[in-house]
Amino acid sequence: MKVLVVDDNKKERLHISKIALTHGFDVSEAGNGYEALEKVERETPDIIISDIIMPEMDGFMLIRKIKGNENTKDIPFIFYTKSFVCDEDKELGFSLGAARFIMKPLKPEGLLCEIDLVLKEHKAGKLKSAGHKITDKEYLQKYSAQLSLKLESRVRMLEQEIEKRKKIEAQLRKSEKKLILAKDEALRASSVKSDFLMKMSHELRTPLNSVLGFSQLLKMKHSGELNEKQEQYLDNIFHSATRLLGMINDMLDLVKVESGEGLHLSIHSFPAAQAIDEALIFINDRAAQKKIVIHKEIDPGLGIIEADALRFKQILINLIDNAIKFSKPAGGTVNIAARRNGDMAQFSISDTGIGIKEENMDNLFDLFYQADSGISRRYGGAGAGLAVTKQLVEQHGGRIWVKSIYGEGSTFSFILPLMQKK
């Protein structure tokens, strides 16, 4: 009997393969869904055991491909995972055609027992093979709902780790006698947080990209027309997923910042005005939803600047997104100004939002700093965007600052050299 084991974790994959081999199975392995499909095309297995969270193609997408192919739809499929383990996850797995949904870790004899039972049920014709009938819309709805729950859980874990780090830093300031011990603990916490954030890139970005991809496919209406309410729901899914992906990317940038590695820059020449317009493409819908009017004042003499275009747009998007996020309920305006200032280019983003208290101004660009816990709970965010923005501006040889009147609005300004030093 042939068993195909699919898992991007080599250690886990070898562990399962060893269990199957000792039971007399002929075992083949794959590191993700794409590799698994290639293996299946070359030699059809008698059963597939797959993880869910994997790069390039995850387990849910793999079973949809398997069950959607007339030649492979009857292959028994077992999910073996530790990332998706609630009742709703199992419901989605079974609706896609899975025979079992097993939580890691399971003792070897337990896993072998499940494999034997599934093969016996398959031989007796007791396994259902109707998972492929679930529509793209139904799949996206179920998958995105489960992903949102996982994202909330991971963000809560991250917030707990951040809170833990803040307490450690407070202890450092209070007691010089405990400085060495507390410093070691802070370094350990920082290492744990960095490791956690890197794992987030694997566990969150892969499924999040799937949600974005399916959202774009549905928006293109290849699978049929959508009514107004469905389009509204789809827009909400797409914009929320895009925002979460941006937040995850900021966190991953911070890992590099804290490690002292710095952020990679690819410097070339480009028109500043064009880059501003391209950045606004990602912002306009969100501004309209919050009744924000965006104005531009671009100096015609500004012209070309030398910088990393993607990072430059990231700076603008972070600052404009903040201006929109902290707007007042009734809406308001955001002004974007760009002008030449000697051998520098100066950019300013002004808003008519809630403003910043004077006592919070000095720490505004610190890592994970939140000016007011009540405001952070209301408006969201983990305090990462401004820290990354400051790092990017300074790596370009520039400077960033802020002026604000509490209750009236804020103006974030930054300058960059027109030409980078060789």
Side-chain angles (χ1 to χ4, degrees):
M1 301 290 283
K2 299 182 182 67
V3 177
L4 174 59
V5 179
V6 191
D7 198 316
D8 65 314
N9 186 314
K10 186 176 181 180
K11 185 177 179 181
E12 289 277 2
R13 197 166 66 237
L14 291 174
H15 175 66
I16 300 170
S17 296
K18 186 177 179 181
I19 294 173
L21 284 168
T22 58
H23 199 61
F25 288 105
D26 182 8
V27 179
S28 61
E29 301 177 9
N32 58 52
Y34 283 116
E35 291 182 15
L37 289 176
E38 290 176 359
K39 298 261 185 180
V40 171
E41 188 175 344
R42 288 197 298 267
E43 187 175 15
T44 304
D46 295 293
I47 190 169
I48 297 173
I49 303 171
S50 176
D51 190 16
I52 293 179
I53 297 295
M54 296 180 290
E56 297 185 42
M57 181 188 290
D58 64 14
F60 285 141
M61 180 60 74
L62 172 61
I63 192 173
R64 279 176 58 77
K65 295 286 187 182
I66 294 293
K67 296 300 181 180
N69 187 323
E70 285 296 321
N71 296 323
T72 60
K73 67 179 183 179
D74 294 324
I75 299 174
F77 199 105
I78 294 177
F79 278 125
Y80 188 54
T81 182
K82 62 182 177 181
S83 297
F84 284 68
V85 291
C86 67
D87 290 340
E88 290 79 4
D89 300 326
K90 294 178 181 179
E91 180 185 348
L92 176 56
F94 289 134
S95 71
L96 292 169
R100 292 288 190 279
F101 204 105
I102 303 173
M103 180 178 174
K104 295 179 183 177
L106 186 65
K107 291 182 178 180
E109 56 268 25
L111 180 59
L112 287 171
C113 180
E114 292 292 347
I115 294 172
D116 285 337
L117 285 173
V118 169
L119 288 172
K120 288 177 182 177
E121 291 172 9
H122 175 61
K123 187 175 181 181
K126 295 180 179 180
L127 291 182
K128 297 179 180 179
S129 60
H132 65 283
K133 291 184 178 178
I134 185 171
T135 66
D136 284 348
K137 292 180 183 178
E138 291 170 333
Y139 170 66
L140 178 60
Q141 183 180 17
K142 290 182 179 180
Y143 189 32
S144 60
Q146 292 311 107
L147 179 61
S148 294
L149 292 175
K150 302 305 170 189
L151 289 173
E152 290 174 7
S153 173
R154 297 298 190 274
V155 170
R156 283 196 297 270
M157 290 172 62
L158 179 59
E159 289 174 343
Q160 290 170 3
E161 187 63 37
I162 292 169
E163 192 63 31
K164 183 178 179 181
R165 185 168 183 253
K166 287 180 179 179
K167 290 179 181 179
I168 294 171
E169 291 173 346
Q171 290 172 358
L172 283 171
R173 289 191 293 267
K174 289 179 181 179
S175 176
E176 289 184 1
K177 294 179 181 180
K178 298 179 180 179
L179 179 60
I180 296 176
L181 180 62
K183 181 180 178 181
D184 290 342
E185 183 64 16
L187 289 172
R188 185 202 66 79
S190 179
S191 176
V192 170
K193 175 171 64 63
S194 296
D195 182 58
F196 173 76
L197 290 172
M198 291 306 293
K199 288 178 180 177
M200 280 180 63
S201 71
H202 164 62
E203 293 201 15
L204 299 183
R205 291 174 79 178
T206 297
L208 198 54
N209 280 323
S210 293
V211 170
L212 285 167
F214 269 103
S215 299
Q216 288 174 318
L217 282 174
L218 289 175
K219 285 167 73 72
M220 293 168 68
K221 301 181 181 179
H222 290 320
S223 299
E225 292 296 321
L226 303 173
N227 60 41
E228 184 176 349
K229 184 162 254 185
Q230 288 173 330
E231 288 189 333
Q232 182 182 349
Y233 289 160
L234 197 57
D235 284 339
N236 288 339
I237 291 171
F238 183 81
H239 291 306
S240 297
T242 301
R243 183 167 177 78
L244 283 169
L245 186 60
M247 184 174 166
I248 291 167
N249 289 335
D250 279 346
M251 295 296 181
L252 294 174
D253 281 344
L254 285 179
V255 174
K256 296 179 181 179
V257 172
E258 287 195 304
S259 68
E261 179 183 344
L263 303 174
H264 175 71
L265 300 180
S266 178
I267 305 297
H268 61 276
S269 301
F270 59 89
Q274 179 180 325
I276 292 172
D277 287 337
E278 290 172 357
L280 286 175
I281 292 173
F282 298 94
I283 296 292
N284 286 330
D285 285 349
R286 180 167 165 75
Q289 289 174 0
K290 298 201 71 174
K291 301 178 182 177
I292 302 295
V293 178
I294 296 179
H295 296 295
K296 293 187 302 178
E297 298 176 18
I298 311 298
D299 178 4
L302 177 56
I304 303 295
I305 64 172
E306 284 187 359
D308 184 316
L310 289 177
R311 293 299 194 177
F312 174 69
K313 284 182 275 191
Q314 183 180 351
I315 294 169
L316 290 173
I317 289 171
N318 280 348
L319 294 177
I320 300 170
D321 192 55
N322 263 6
I324 293 171
K325 180 166 68 173
F326 294 106
S327 61
K328 295 173 182 176
T333 60
V334 171
N335 292 305
I336 303 167
R339 64 185 180 88
R340 181 169 184 153
N341 186 358
D343 59 354
M344 308 290 282
Q346 180 169 326
F347 305 90
S348 298
I349 291 87
S350 304
D351 63 66
T352 56
I354 60 175
I356 305 164
K357 293 179 180 178
E358 187 174 350
E359 60 266 30
N360 296 324
M361 298 284 278
D362 291 341
N363 304 107
L364 201 59
F365 294 98
D366 291 352
L367 292 175
F368 300 116
Y369 180 75
Q370 291 282 11
D372 185 304
S373 60
I375 289 176
S376 69
R377 283 193 297 270
R378 178 180 175 187
Y379 292 95
L386 287 179
V388 172
T389 299
K390 181 175 185 289
Q391 178 73 18
L392 288 172
V393 169
E394 291 179 349
Q395 276 194 224
H396 278 87
R399 182 171 63 90
I400 187 170
W401 66 94
V402 59
K403 295 180 180 179
S404 183
I405 300 176
Y406 185 64
E408 295 185 18
S410 306
T411 298
F412 284 81
S413 302
F414 65 96
I415 54 173
L416 298 178
L418 289 170
M419 297 183 65
Q420 293 291 319
K421 294 180 180 179
K422 303 299 182 184

